[in-house]
Amino acid sequence: MHREINIDFNEIIEIVYTSIRRASIFMGLGINAANNPNHTDYSLTHDTSLCFVSDDVSPEEVSEFKENFKHWLIGNNLRSVT
């Protein structure tokens, strides 16, 4: 018995492109925020009652947070498109 299977490659490609566009947008938003020297707010306390990191950290520590964030962001977004 033979069954016909139809594969819509255009539909598959659109799913892939949607994932790539989403990752690109998220990386753009995150990396631009991380690269902006004026964007230093990392606190969650204004949106939630969560506080795991002191509000009193040095500018060097904030820069380190932002650099680590960029690496995390890129890795997670590239993983999401695979």
Side-chain angles (χ1 to χ4, degrees):
M1 175 187 274
H2 294 276
R3 287 180 38 190
E4 185 175 310
I5 298 175
N6 294 313
I7 299 173
D8 186 346
F9 288 106
N10 289 329
E11 188 174 326
I12 293 170
I13 289 171
E14 185 55 36
I15 292 168
V16 170
Y17 286 159
T18 298
S19 294
I20 291 170
R21 285 191 298 267
R22 180 178 179 265
S24 174
I25 290 166
F26 289 2
M27 280 195 292
L29 287 169
I31 290 172
N32 287 322
N35 286 336
N36 182 343
N38 296 320
H39 185 71
T40 58
D41 186 8
Y42 58 87
S43 177
L44 292 172
T45 55
H46 57 336
D47 291 322
T48 68
S49 61
L50 301 174
C51 182
F52 300 106
V53 180
S54 170
D55 286 336
D56 186 28
V57 299
S58 71
E60 293 79 21
E61 288 174 299
V62 173
S63 291
E64 186 176 337
F65 295 163
K66 293 170 74 169
E67 188 63 29
N68 288 324
F69 171 65
K70 285 192 295 188
H71 292 282
W72 176 84
L73 181 75
I74 291 167
N76 280 297
N77 276 286
L78 291 177
R79 184 175 50 242
S80 76
V81 297
T82 59

